Amino acid sequence: MTDQNTSQHATRNTQHPTPNSPHSKKLNIYFTAGIPKLEDTTEIMKLIQHSGAQIMEIGMPYSDPVADGPVIQKAHEIALKNGMTIAKLLEQIKSVKDEISIPIVLMGYINPILSFGFEEFCQKCRDAGVSGVIIPDLPAIEFEKNYAKILAKFGLNFIFLVTPETPNERIKYLDSLSSGFLYAVSSSSTTGNSAKEINNEEYLERLSGLNLKNPVMIGFGIKNKNDFEKVTEKAAGGIIGTAFVNILLKKENWAEEGESFIRSIIN
């Protein structure tokens, strides 16, 4: 796969509605690699695509996932015990890359990626058909100075996160560095917050008025169709993680339940 082709793959389907989608709002489903069992990753990837999601986000397990709530922290712990590693995950993704047509985004933390080797990681992401990367604990200044050129070399998008407390100028700056989409955290908390309802109309209104370069995807706390429709009124799409990971961790028939859950959001 050439750099040019990879770059095209990296941006494919991340900025325009899927033609056969029932609506124009994109659904991004997150799960932690290596759960419920080590070898389930590829089946879950196929399930997410088959169920109608437009993007999949795969968490690379780490011992200290500071941006994640208790459910995903537990998933990381189980995945590590199961033996999941970055190398193993990239092998799994590569094994099904010809079967997956929606963008694959990897989310993880900088230390294990540095231990793996940042450039080697990017090269293997490209070879596996990965579209982009989210690294919540990588500062923007470090990204610009040390990593942006490497990611560009291998045709990978990089997605930054913003929160309701992020000033407008900072949001514009992070948007200028991002590609693919901008990840807007719905509230200033970890993933899977337990609030009954997401109330952030002012924040979403502010984001929609900034004339950002990238489409905005809202994440953290989206549990059902009502949440998804509410947060995407002024955004390009929504990201669901904890609710789906809960199914993988708690349901014996997780494949059937997972497909039903995804379809309930978009249909």
Side-chain angles (χ1 to χ4, degrees):
M1 186 182 295
T2 67
D3 284 354
Q4 182 181 8
N5 288 340
T6 307
S7 180
Q8 290 170 348
H9 171 74
T11 55
R12 185 182 60 199
N13 289 339
T14 58
Q15 296 188 18
H16 301 285
T18 304
N20 60 0
S21 174
H23 47 64
S24 63
K25 305 302 183 179
K26 293 185 181 299
L27 175 61
N28 177 354
I29 293 290
Y30 167 97
F31 74 99
T32 307
I35 66 163
K37 296 180 180 177
L38 180 64
E39 300 298 339
D40 287 333
T41 306
T42 54
E43 184 177 347
I44 297 169
M45 292 175 68
K46 294 174 188 176
L47 180 159
I48 291 171
Q49 175 171 276
H50 174 72
S51 301
Q54 288 88 12
I55 305 172
M56 68 178 70
E57 188 177 316
I58 306 176
M60 298 177 283
Y62 181 48
S63 57
D64 187 24
V66 293
D68 295 298
V71 171
I72 294 179
Q73 286 180 12
K74 181 67 175 177
H76 280 244
E77 181 183 326
I78 292 170
L80 290 171
K81 286 182 179 177
N82 286 345
M84 180 54 72
T85 63
I86 289 177
K88 178 67 175 175
L89 173 58
L90 290 169
E91 288 174 5
Q92 290 178 335
I93 295 171
K94 188 175 182 179
S95 73
V96 293
K97 72 172 187 175
D98 292 335
E99 301 174 62
I100 302 297
S101 59
I102 66 174
I104 301 164
V105 176
L106 295 188
M107 183 171 186
Y109 296 84
I110 189 63
N111 282 347
I113 297 174
L114 293 180
S115 296
F116 186 85
F118 195 88
E119 184 153 353
E120 182 180 359
F121 170 75
C122 291
Q123 180 178 341
K124 289 187 178 297
C125 281
R126 178 197 64 184
D127 294 345
V130 170
S131 297
V133 182
I134 302 171
I135 307 176
D137 61 341
L138 178 59
I141 191 167
E142 288 292 317
F143 167 82
E144 278 196 284
K145 182 179 179 181
N146 298 318
Y147 303 110
K149 288 182 180 179
I150 300 173
L151 286 149
K153 174 182 175 181
F154 294 103
L156 295 173
N157 289 316
F158 191 89
I159 297 108
F160 277 97
L161 284 76
V162 299
T163 76
E165 279 68 42
T166 309
N168 286 355
E169 287 307 309
R170 178 74 176 174
I171 291 173
K172 291 179 180 179
Y173 167 60
L174 294 174
D175 175 60
S176 74
L177 298 180
S178 298
S179 57
F181 62 89
L182 184 68
Y183 193 135
V185 177
S186 65
S187 61
S188 299
S189 66
T190 57
T191 56
N193 69 73
S194 58
K196 290 184 179 179
E197 192 172 274
I198 300 173
N199 292 306
N200 51 12
E201 288 85 353
E202 184 179 335
Y203 169 51
L204 299 180
E205 184 76 34
R206 180 161 63 94
L207 286 171
S208 68
L210 290 177
N211 193 29
L212 299 174
K213 176 186 76 172
N214 293 289
V216 174
M217 300 284 289
I218 309 291
F220 287 40
I222 303 173
K223 300 177 287 297
N224 51 46
K225 183 180 181 70
N226 181 64
D227 287 344
F228 181 78
E229 291 182 344
K230 184 173 183 179
V231 302
T232 58
E233 285 179 4
K234 296 182 181 299
I239 302 164
I240 297 180
T242 297
F244 184 71
V245 170
N246 249 328
I247 293 170
L248 300 180
L249 292 179
K250 295 181 178 180
K251 303 291 186 180
E252 287 190 17
N253 59 334
W254 55 262
E256 180 182 337
E257 293 267 357
E259 179 175 345
S260 177
F261 173 74
I262 294 171
R263 290 188 183 280
S264 77
I265 303 295
I266 58 179
N267 293 335

